[in-house]
Amino acid sequence: MRRLSVVSLFVFAMIELSYGTTTNRDAMMTVVTEKLGLTFYTASELTVIAKCCEPQFYKTPNNNTAVLSTAKSCILNNSGNKAVQALSLYSNANNCLSPDSLDSVVTALVPPIQNLTATLVKKIKKTLADCKSTNTQAAAAKQETCIQKTYGIAKAAITLTYVDDTCKKVVNRNVSKGWWACGLKYIPSVLTFSKYACSKIVKA
Ligand SMILES: *[C@@H]1O[C@H](CO)[C@@H](O)[C@H](O)[C@H]1NC(C)=O
Ligand SMILES: *[C@@H]1O[C@H](CO)[C@@H](O)[C@H](O)[C@H]1NC(C)=O
Ligand SMILES: *[C@@H]1O[C@H](CO)[C@@H](O)[C@H](O)[C@H]1NC(C)=O
Ligand SMILES: *[C@@H]1O[C@H](CO)[C@@H](O)[C@H](O)[C@H]1NC(C)=O
């Protein structure tokens, strides 16, 4: 018994050492900033926003309305010193897109994006559903474990190529010339868009 716990402690320590204390959530946010080129938020700022969104996603993964509205409120609530910048960007984008708005454009683009990312989203939701039905930890620990598993899937699948391919399809098929002009004007304020072949698309 004693021997066993010494052995498990050792194994546990080795696992801790090899993974450090980096969670899949942390790793995901690093992917978003370093690989995908998001510049508006740092990885640690994104972590705060992500943690704010997680309870809703965990509770109602299939209710897009609820998840998107929580995400929007989490972004606005947790932009801290960037709130002014975020709001001004939001209002500039709205002016540019007028008579449409950023909300209406996002709403219009969600279905085609969902269609293109359906396989990955299904895999993520299945991972979450399986974990919810089998994990026996207490509520808070269970949510954390299950959310971490979903980040594990997401961080492996969401590469620059994956995002770029999705972007190209949506822009070619579902973005109007006017929307695209605004996109090209404002997207570089939040990410290094030049990393993406998608940014080179010219709308006739
Ligand atoms: C989804 O969430 C919205 C907003 O919270 C809520 O009004 C709606 O009833 C929910 N839909 C379903 C099918 O539960
Ligand atoms: C955002 O802040 C408002 C006002 O403090 C609060 O009512 C709301 O619940 C917060 N949203 C989230 C998702 O935490
Ligand atoms: C995506 O759209 C295509 C045609 O536009 C349709 O055939 C296909 O079933 C859709 N896939 C999903 C997963 O919604
Ligand atoms: C997006 O484009 C596809 C392919 O052209 C089309 O089938 C689909 O209806 C469009 N979706 C929206 C919401 O415009």
Side-chain angles (χ1 to χ4, degrees):
M1 188 64 192
R2 189 184 173 117
R3 195 189 158 91
L4 188 67
S5 44
V6 170
V7 169
S8 26
L9 199 66
F10 179 73
V11 170
F12 186 67
M14 289 308 290
I15 291 172
E16 281 294 294
L17 276 176
S18 51
Y19 286 96
T21 48
T22 303
T23 64
N24 283 341
R25 180 193 293 108
D26 295 333
M28 179 74 221
M29 302 315 149
T30 305
V31 164
V32 173
T33 53
E34 291 180 6
K35 298 243 164 57
L36 304 184
L38 189 87
T39 53
F40 195 77
Y41 297 105
T42 64
S44 49
E45 287 167 343
L46 276 183
T47 300
V48 174
I49 294 171
K51 282 184 170 169
C52 167
C53 299
E54 288 165 11
Q56 188 67 53
F57 176 67
Y58 182 77
K59 208 160 63 183
T60 65
N62 296 315
N63 188 333
N64 294 317
T65 312
V67 171
L68 279 177
S69 119
T70 301
K72 189 179 161 192
S73 145
C74 287
I75 290 170
L76 292 175
N77 283 6
N78 295 293
S79 289
N81 58 349
K82 287 182 181 149
V84 172
Q85 243 178 302
L87 277 176
S88 120
L89 197 56
Y90 184 67
S91 123
N92 287 337
N94 278 333
N95 285 336
C96 183
L97 291 164
S98 174
D100 295 319
S101 65
L102 190 57
D103 279 6
S104 69
V105 170
V106 169
T107 303
L109 296 183
V110 165
I113 292 172
Q114 274 175 334
N115 181 300
L116 292 166
T117 57
T119 306
L120 174 59
V121 170
K122 201 170 154 195
K123 194 171 165 194
I124 288 175
K125 285 181 182 172
K126 184 171 190 313
T127 303
L128 180 61
D130 287 351
C131 183
K132 279 169 85 166
S133 67
T134 56
N135 188 286
T136 55
Q137 289 171 287
K142 177 176 174 174
Q143 178 180 316
E144 179 65 12
T145 300
C146 295
I147 289 287
Q148 288 291 353
K149 282 193 176 166
T150 66
Y151 279 124
I153 304 286
K155 83 171 180 203
I158 304 175
T159 59
L160 184 72
T161 306
Y162 180 84
V163 177
D164 202 15
D165 286 348
T166 306
C167 178
K168 285 189 275 191
K169 285 178 184 150
V170 172
V171 170
N172 282 324
R173 296 174 188 169
N174 302 103
V175 171
S176 69
K177 188 177 178 180
W179 290 359
W180 189 229
C182 297
L184 289 174
K185 190 165 175 195
Y186 291 109
I187 293 170
S189 314
V190 295
L191 60 83
T192 312
F193 204 26
S194 52
K195 279 185 150 207
Y196 296 83
C198 184
S199 71
K200 311 289 189 291
I201 292 175
V202 176
K203 283 270 174 189

